[in-house]
C-alpha cells in the first residue's frame, strides 16, 4: 500500500467519528484533503465546516461544503463537536507536532473551538518521542532573528521555510535538533516568547483519538483518561 492509500484509509475512517447534522472543524494537509474528498460525497451529513486554512477552505467549497466563519459560529454558541486533522508526528500520549503545511496557528485555533480532536495519520507518523520532525514555529517577520537565537539556545537548529508565507502573513522557522523531553513545558515556553505566533507542539491539548492506518487495517486509539 502507498502512503497516500493509507492516508485515504485513515480519512475514510474519520467519517465514523462525525456527529450527524453538526458543524465539523477541518484541519489541513494531504490526509485532510482525502477527508474533504470523502466528506464531499456525504455532504448532507454536516451543517458546514470551519476551516483551518485557505487551502482547505478552497477544497471544502469545491466539494460543495459550506465554509462557516469561526467568529459567527462561536458567537452563536453553536457547538463544533469534532475536529479532524492530520499530524506530522504523534506520540503514545496523542501529543503532536503539526505545521508541516504551515497552517499550525489556524489549526490550533479551530481545534481549541471544537470538543474532540480526531487525528488521522498513516502509521509512519507514530513516534515514541516527538522531535524527529523539525518543529514548525510561526513567527512575526520582525522577530525572526530574536526567536531564532532563543531556539538555538535551547539546542535547536532553526531554518526559515524558504519562499513561504502563512495565511496570516508570517514566516515559519523549522527547528531541527531539539530534544523534546517535556512537550507541554516546551510548548508553553516557546509560546510566550515575544514574536512567536504559534509553536507546532500540540501537547497541552493532545488529540482525543487517533486513527492510525497501517497495511493490516485501521487502529482506533483513544487517549487514556480523556
Ligand atoms: C499542516 C499540518 C498537517 O496536518 C501535517 O503537516 C500532516 O500533513 P499530511 O497529512 O500532508 O501528511 O499540520 O499544517
Amino acid at each position: 500500500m502507498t502512503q497516500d492509500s493509507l492516508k485515504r484509509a485513515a480519512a475514510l475512517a474519520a467519517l465514523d467519528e462525525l456527529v450527524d447534522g453538526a458543524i465539523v472543524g477541518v484541519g489541513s494537509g494531504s490526509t485532510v484533503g482525502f477527508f474533504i474528498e470523502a466528506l464531499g460525497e456525504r455532504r448532507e451529513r454536516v451543517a458546514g465546516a470551519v476551516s483551518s486554512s485557505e487551502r482547505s477552505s478552497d477544497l471544502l467549497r469545491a466539494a460543495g461544503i459550506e465554509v462557516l466563519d469561526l467568529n459567527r459560529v462561536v458567537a452563536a454558541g453553536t457547538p463544533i463537536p469534532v475536529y479532524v486533522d492530520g499530524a506530522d508526528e504523534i506520540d503514545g500520549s496523542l501529543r503532536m507536532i503539526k505545521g508541516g503545511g504551515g497552517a499550525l496557528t489556524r489549526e490550533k485555533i479551530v481545534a481549541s473551538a471544537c470538543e474532540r480532536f480526531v487525528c488521522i495519520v498513516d502509521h509512519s507518523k507514530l513516534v515514541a518521542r516527538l522531535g524527529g520532525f523539525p518543529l514548525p514555529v510561526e513567527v512575526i517577520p520582525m522577530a525572526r532573528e530574536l526567536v531564532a537565537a532563543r531556539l538555538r539556545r535551547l539546542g535547536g537548529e532553526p531554518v526559515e521555510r524558504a519562499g513561504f508565507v502563512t495565511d496570516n502573513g508570517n514566516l515559519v522557522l523549522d527547528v531541527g535538533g531539539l530534544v523534546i523531553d517535556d512537550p507541554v513545558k516546551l510548548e508553553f515556553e516557546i509560546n510566550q516568547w515575544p514574536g512567536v505566533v504559534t509553536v507546532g507542539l500540540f501537547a497541552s491539548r493532545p488529540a482525543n483519538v487517533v486513527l492510525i492506518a497501517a497495511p493490516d487495517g485501521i487502529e482506533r486509539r483513544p487517549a487514556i483518561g480523556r
Side-chain angles (χ1 to χ4, degrees):
M1 280 178 102
T2 63
Q3 192 180 24
D4 273 357
S5 60
L6 293 173
K7 288 181 179 191
R8 181 178 278 111
L12 283 174
L15 295 171
D16 294 337
E17 305 286 332
L18 296 180
V19 174
D20 282 323
I23 296 169
V24 62
V26 175
S28 301
S30 57
T31 316
V32 164
F34 291 124
F35 173 71
I36 294 172
E37 195 179 289
L39 190 61
E41 287 162 22
R42 299 153 181 86
R43 63 181 81 95
E44 69 290 342
R45 286 194 58 190
V46 292
V50 172
S51 167
S52 64
S53 64
E54 300 298 337
R55 172 80 185 133
S56 288
S57 296
D58 289 346
L59 291 175
L60 284 160
R61 288 192 194 100
I65 298 161
E66 189 182 359
V67 177
L68 302 164
D69 177 67
L70 178 65
N71 284 316
R72 282 175 185 251
V73 173
V74 172
T78 311
I80 315 173
V82 174
Y83 177 72
V84 179
D85 200 355
D88 297 301
E89 284 185 347
I90 184 162
D91 73 6
S93 301
L94 309 200
R95 302 174 296 196
M96 296 159 280
I97 286 183
K98 292 186 44 55
L104 59 164
T105 297
R106 296 190 187 193
E107 290 171 345
K108 222 178 239 194
I109 292 169
V110 178
S112 77
C114 300
E115 290 164 15
R116 298 179 70 247
F117 189 133
V118 176
C119 183
I120 49 176
V121 291
D122 69 85
H123 64 119
S124 71
K125 307 290 186 72
L126 199 57
V127 296
R129 179 196 180 104
L130 298 176
F133 189 90
L135 179 65
V137 182
E138 182 169 349
V139 176
I140 302 276
M142 74 167 284
R144 181 192 60 210
E145 288 309 314
L146 194 64
V147 172
R150 294 185 85 150
L151 288 164
R152 279 187 209 102
R153 286 202 286 277
L154 288 183
E157 294 149 19
V159 175
E160 183 177 349
R161 198 174 293 183
F164 184 80
V165 178
T166 70
D167 285 350
N168 313 307
N170 298 312
L171 55 85
V172 170
L173 297 175
D174 291 306
V175 192
L178 287 172
V179 176
I180 305 181
D181 287 325
D182 186 338
V184 175
K185 187 164 169 249
L186 189 63
E187 179 180 2
F188 283 137
E189 178 173 0
I190 296 176
N191 252 341
Q192 48 90 30
W193 295 345
V196 169
V197 180
T198 303
V199 57
L201 274 168
F202 287 55
S204 58
R205 195 272 167 100
N208 296 84
V209 62
V210 59
L211 306 174
I212 307 159
D216 58 349
I218 301 282
E219 181 191 351
R220 184 182 189 280
R221 196 183 288 188
I224 295 162
R226 296 182 78 230

